[in-house]
Amino acid sequence: GILRVCNPLGLNYEKRSKVILTVQVSDNGSPVLKDTTTVTILVTDLNEAPVFLNANRQVEENSLEWSAVGKPVKAIDSDEGDQFSLSYLMMNFSGSRNFGLNKKSGQIYVSALGGEPGALNFEQLSNYTLKIEVTDSMGLSDAGEVFVMLLDVNEKPVVPDSSRVVNESSKV
């Protein structure tokens, strides 16, 4: 006889690596003759791509270089052991040069450029969208977005130095 998989989604190595079936056969004779056997199916593991979890993060404007931008980003990989070998890569760099990304931990941080005075200025640009790709040890990947919101901080006012010319007989 032939065994067929009716629902391929039901075979998942990470949930169940072995399926044991009891198969019974019978004939149309008189009397009906039967036999029963056990069939063991070993499910082989296939690499599934990791899944990036989109996220929101916050950081204060005017933060210093290497300041952490919230918690590290996360991805889920259902393959055994792959969860600890994921690597992260920032994909877009247009407005995101103010940020860096630790490729192993997934921690976003303020880059050298972002740590320069005025680079992260809430009054000029209050948020960024970073596109990040996660890749597993076998090269499968997924991408997602992290929305970074700058938090406005109270900055002391700046009064520029100035000089004026006044005639000596002028009324002030």
Side-chain angles (χ1 to χ4, degrees), residues 35-76:
D35 193 18
T36 303
T37 191
T38 301
V39 176
T40 302
I41 299 170
L42 300 176
V43 181
T44 55
D45 191 15
L46 294 177
N47 186 33
E48 288 98 5
V51 177
F52 185 84
L53 303 176
N54 291 337
N56 296 318
R57 296 290 184 265
Q58 298 177 338
V59 66
E60 289 185 351
E61 68 173 326
N62 305 320
S63 289
L64 299 175
E65 180 182 2
W66 299 113
S67 296
V69 179
K71 294 186 237 174
V73 295
K74 292 196 178 214
I76 296 171

Side-chain angles (χ1 to χ4, degrees), residues 81-118:
D82 265 358
Q83 189 67 37
F84 304 106
S85 63
L86 298 175
S87 62
Y88 299 89
L89 175 69
M90 195 169 325
M91 302 295 290
N92 64 329
F93 289 103
S94 56
S96 64
R97 293 209 181 269
N98 291 328
F99 302 99
L101 178 66
N102 181 300
K103 70 178 189 174
K104 285 295 173 195
S105 70
Q107 179 64 59
I108 300 169
Y109 59 88
V110 175
S111 69
L113 184 64
E116 291 180 5

